[in-house]
Amino acid sequence: MGWMKRVMYGRYGADQLGFALIGCYLAFYILSLLTRGKLLSLLSTLCLILAFYRTFSRQIERRRAENERFLESVRPIVRWYNVRKCRRQDRDHCYFRCPNCGQQLRAPKGKGKISVTCRSCGATFEKKT
C-alpha cells in the first residue's frame, strides 16, 4: 500500500465529479453495448479518460474549483431529491407551501381543518390535513 501513497502524493484524487464521470462512463458503456453505437462508446471512453486525468492531476486548485462548480450546478437536483425522499418516508405529516411567501410548512396528518401561521412571513391561513 506504500507504493499507492507514493503514486498519489501531490495528486488531486477522487471527488464527486470524478464519481459522476465514472457513473456516466458506465451508463454510456452499457448503452453502447446495447445499441452498438460508436458515438456512445467514444463518449464512455472520454468520460473514463477525464475521470482518470482529474484523479491523477497535480493542479489541485483547478480540480477543486471544477468540483465546486459541479456541486453548485447539481445542488438543486440533490435538494429536490432529498425533499421528495423525506416526504415519502414521513407518514405522520402533511407538507404544503405558504400562499404568501412560498415557505414549505409541515403539519400533523389527521387533524382536520387547522389554522396555520407561517413561521417566515406570519401569514395565517387554513389547511385540511
Side-chain angles (χ1 to χ4, degrees), residues 23 39 52 55 65 68 73 101 110 112:
L39 180 63
F52 276 118
T55 301
E68 191 60 38
S73 66
C101 68

Side-chain angles (χ1 to χ4, degrees), residues 2 26 30 36 39 51 65 67 71 102 126:
L26 289 172
I30 290 171
R36 300 193 187 263
L39 180 63
N67 189 50
L71 290 176
E126 288 192 3

Side-chain angles (χ1 to χ4, degrees), residues 88-115:
R88 278 193 309 270
Q89 291 176 348
D90 189 6
R91 302 287 182 204
D92 300 329
H93 295 93
C94 176
Y95 291 88
F96 49 90
R97 294 202 175 271
C98 172
N100 191 27
C101 68
Q103 174 74 29
Q104 180 178 335
L105 301 170
R106 181 179 83 158
K109 279 188 179 177
K111 298 292 183 182
K113 196 172 221 182
I114 60 172
S115 179

Side-chain angles (χ1 to χ4, degrees), residues 67-85:
N67 189 50
E68 191 60 38
R69 284 192 307 267
F70 169 72
L71 290 176
E72 191 65 34
S73 66
V74 298
R75 189 165 284 129
I77 298 167
V78 171
R79 187 176 295 131
W80 177 83
Y81 174 76
N82 287 338
V83 166
R84 295 294 182 258
K85 183 174 135 184

Side-chain angles (χ1 to χ4, degrees), residues 18-49:
F19 290 130
L21 285 169
I22 291 172
C24 288
Y25 158 73
L26 289 172
F28 286 142
Y29 182 72
I30 290 171
L31 286 174
S32 71
L33 288 177
L34 294 175
T35 61
R36 300 193 187 263
K38 298 290 184 190
L39 180 63
L40 291 173
S41 179
L42 178 66
L43 283 174
S44 68
T45 305
L46 288 175
C47 286
L48 188 63
I49 290 170

